[in-house]
Amino acid sequence: MPSDSRMRRILAFLQLSLLRNRSPMSNAILDANKALVLAHYDAVTNRLDPDAIRAQLALDFFDHATGKRMSAEEVIAHSADMHETFAELSAVAECLVAERDIVAGRFVWRGRHRSPWRGIAPTGRHVEFRGMTFWRIRDGRISERWAEIDFVDLERQLRD
């Protein structure tokens, strides 16, 4: 899990970002932003749909979890690696909220461990892990992502 200080820094950054953009957004725009994030999870995790991923990401997409800009092709490659590692990979939103240009969600991922992951040999085990992700939407596309995924619990499931 992320340290408390790291989570506080992320939340402070997001709050400052929201304060800068004080213009109200309509419910229709907020709903469209949430629908985009859900469609992105469907494309990346549930179906691995490269064309949808390309359409959903801004050309200058920045992933704060990796600390770099990522092209759609890099996101697709990462998704393909996760699907290779975890068979039957799926993600479901447990909670999703939107305010201004940010969508935040708590998600649960499920799959079966079938190839090495972070040095752990395939176990064949079914796993379930959770995390929180924040997405910035700009001009109908995803421009930024902050993710805190509980990989400690995932590793525990694979090692125990």
Side-chain angles (χ1 to χ4, degrees), residues 21 25 29 32-33 36 55-60 100-101 136-144:
N21 182 8
M25 294 185 115
I29 292 172
N33 288 350
L36 173 61
Q56 294 161 346
L57 294 178
L59 293 177
D60 61 348
R100 295 182 179 82
D101 62 345
R136 183 181 309 280
I137 312 300
R138 187 183 71 238
D139 300 326
R141 291 186 172 215
I142 297 169
S143 63
E144 292 180 80

Side-chain angles (χ1 to χ4, degrees), residues 80-118:
D81 288 346
M82 289 298 288
H83 280 268
E84 177 60 33
T85 302
F86 297 99
E88 303 136 29
L89 186 63
S90 67
V92 175
E94 293 183 319
C95 176
L96 198 65
V97 295
E99 186 168 331
R100 295 182 179 82
D101 62 345
I102 299 289
V103 176
R106 179 165 168 78
F107 293 85
V108 58
W109 289 264
R110 294 179 179 95
R112 185 176 46 78
H113 184 218
R114 70 172 171 191
S115 68
W117 185 76
R118 293 188 175 185

Side-chain angles (χ1 to χ4, degrees), residues 34-51:
K34 289 192 289 187
L36 173 61
V37 167
L38 290 174
H40 187 65
Y41 271 92
D42 191 48
V44 168
T45 307
N46 298 333
R47 295 183 298 121
L48 184 53
D49 182 345
D51 291 333

Side-chain angles (χ1 to χ4, degrees), residues 144-159:
E144 292 180 80
R145 178 184 88 120
W146 295 262
E148 294 295 337
I149 312 301
D150 191 355
F151 288 133
V152 171
D153 183 53
L154 174 58
E155 286 187 23
R156 182 194 53 75
Q157 292 176 55
L158 297 176
R159 292 186 192 280

